[in-house]
Amino acid sequence: MSVPIDLHCHSTMSDGLLSPEDLVAHAASKGVRVLALTDHDEVSGLARAHAAAEQHGIALINGVEISVTWKKRTLHVVGLRVDVENSALLMAFQQVREAREVRAREIADGLAKAGIAGAYEGAKEIAGNSVMTRSHFAQFMVKHGHAKNIKTVFKKYMVKGKPGYVNHEWMSLEQALQLIRDSGGVAVLAHPGRYDLGFVNMHLLLHEFRNLGGAAIEVVTGSHQPPQYEQFAKLAHRFDLKASQGSDYHGPGLSFMEMGRLPALPSGCVPVWQDWPEASQLQ
Ligand code: AMP
Ligand code: MN
Ligand code: MN
Ligand code: MN
């Protein structure tokens, strides 16, 4: 049976389309009972999300999705139950935010060379005060007719080898796990099936992640195809890691999966929420 828990989603504080309040309301309307808001490198939406969660009678878990560079690849690590007042965490995110600004200028320079002017200003207008992400550039490009949808923009402009791609150095896996651990959180490797790592590197990654104190991997996520649920359930078991689930919802039209539609974790998985008081009623 599926459990109404969603431990990965985004608000307007990063690249989601819904405000923290609207996102929580949406989750509640779809039957979610325990929700983690996990904005990219950003925790400033959590206070607002907590207030909304109280109104809607759902449990809100502190979360964040941290970008990491591992073996020249970008990986995402979700930190759950972090202390959002932890100064090392806040300082690190401030640095990431500044680096994302520099990167955004570089992305815009790349796009300008490909004949697309005004991308920084355009993406900034969409991002407002949020951290600048490739999603904001993608939305700008669709709005101005450079591609028919977000998926096509990414393929044509925003991935490795394309004019709007910048080889950015994020924090190390070790640093991200230390930040999560030191702020009292648990580290979850986000959507491992998206990294295209191959057998050897995936095993190396999971081994290293476990050794650095990682707790779980996402098994059921909007970023996995159904056959990958079993594949990563097996790997979680092999590496003695718990399993997590989350929609990775970014808002209407910007998501692979709607909220409240997550299938159950495959049998044999140990849920990352197993000891959480918020989830005790739901299992
Ligand atoms: P950034 O952290 O700035 O590199 O932006 C990454 C975000 O872009 C991801 O979290 C997704 O929301 C979005 N994204 C990445 N690849 C794609 C894709 N192929 N299609 C749609 N959105 C994508
Ligand atoms: Mn995103
Ligand atoms: Mn991600
Ligand atoms: Mn995400």
Side-chain angles (χ1 to χ4, degrees):
M1 215 184 66
S2 70
V3 190
I5 294 183
D6 191 327
L7 299 177
H8 188 151
C9 65
H10 299 269
S11 76
T12 45
M13 303 316 283
S14 63
D15 58 349
L17 298 180
L18 302 182
S19 68
E21 290 84 0
D22 289 349
L23 183 73
V24 169
H26 183 70
S29 78
K30 295 288 178 188
V32 175
R33 303 281 304 283
V34 178
L35 179 72
L37 172 61
T38 56
D39 277 313
H40 295 286
D41 309 300
E42 180 65 69
V43 289
S44 59
L46 286 162
R48 289 166 60 185
H50 273 290
E54 205 159 300
Q55 277 186 7
H56 290 278
I58 71 174
L60 197 277
I61 307 289
N62 284 345
V64 64
E65 182 173 21
I66 302 180
S67 310
V68 157
T69 297
W70 183 80
K71 288 185 180 280
K72 299 200 168 84
R73 293 175 171 85
T74 301
L75 310 177
H76 287 168
V77 177
V78 165
L80 299 173
R81 304 180 88 77
V82 290
D83 170 9
V84 294
E85 281 166 18
N86 180 277
S87 58
L89 197 71
L90 293 175
M91 230 151 63
F93 293 157
Q94 181 54 34
Q95 277 171 14
V96 174
R97 179 184 272 265
E98 284 161 20
R100 275 183 176 277
E101 278 296 318
V102 176
R103 173 196 188 227
R105 299 267 180 199
E106 291 167 2
I107 290 175
D109 289 347
L111 291 172
K113 283 189 193 121
I116 297 169
Y120 177 83
E121 292 72 19
K124 191 79 192 167
E125 194 185 333
I126 293 168
N129 284 327
S130 317
V131 288
M132 287 283 268
T133 72
R134 280 183 294 161
S135 293
H136 297 113
F137 282 93
Q139 288 169 54
F140 160 78
M141 309 256 276
V142 171
K143 195 168 131 195
H144 288 265
H146 298 296
K148 65 177 191 300
N149 58 36
I150 299 282
K151 205 176 150 193
T152 318
V153 185
F154 268 92
K155 223 160 110 183
K156 273 174 71 177
Y157 294 103
M158 310 297 302
V159 294
K160 214 167 229 172
K162 302 296 174 179
Y165 184 81
V166 170
N167 212 351
H168 191 76
E169 185 78 22
W170 304 100
M171 70 176 79
S172 68
L173 186 64
E174 190 175 5
Q175 195 187 350
L177 265 66
Q178 183 167 356
L179 282 171
I180 293 169
R181 228 184 20 237
D182 289 355
S183 60
V186 291
V188 180
L189 183 66
H191 42 63
R194 236 171 68 179
Y195 305 132
D196 206 14
L197 280 179
F199 183 89
V200 171
N201 275 325
M202 181 55 76
H203 279 64
L204 272 176
L205 170 61
L206 294 176
H207 184 74
E208 196 173 324
F209 180 74
R210 181 79 180 83
N211 280 349
L212 290 170
I217 62 174
E218 286 183 348
V219 169
V220 170
T221 140
S223 295
H224 281 173
Q225 299 299 319
Q228 293 177 305
Y229 303 161
E230 281 296 336
Q231 182 192 341
F232 287 101
K234 284 201 187 98
L235 283 172
H237 184 73
R238 189 172 308 160
F239 287 89
D240 195 21
L241 290 158
K242 292 178 180 165
S244 189
Q245 63 180 37
S247 58
D248 206 355
Y249 187 72
H250 281 70
L254 209 62
S255 305
F256 303 117
M257 196 187 256
E258 178 53 270
M259 283 186 145
R261 299 252 179 94
L262 292 170
L265 288 173
S267 64
C269 284
V270 180
V272 67
W273 60 83
Q274 132 174 285
D275 304 324
W276 296 0
E278 298 87 348
S280 61
Q281 305 290 313
L282 300 175
Q283 297 172 60

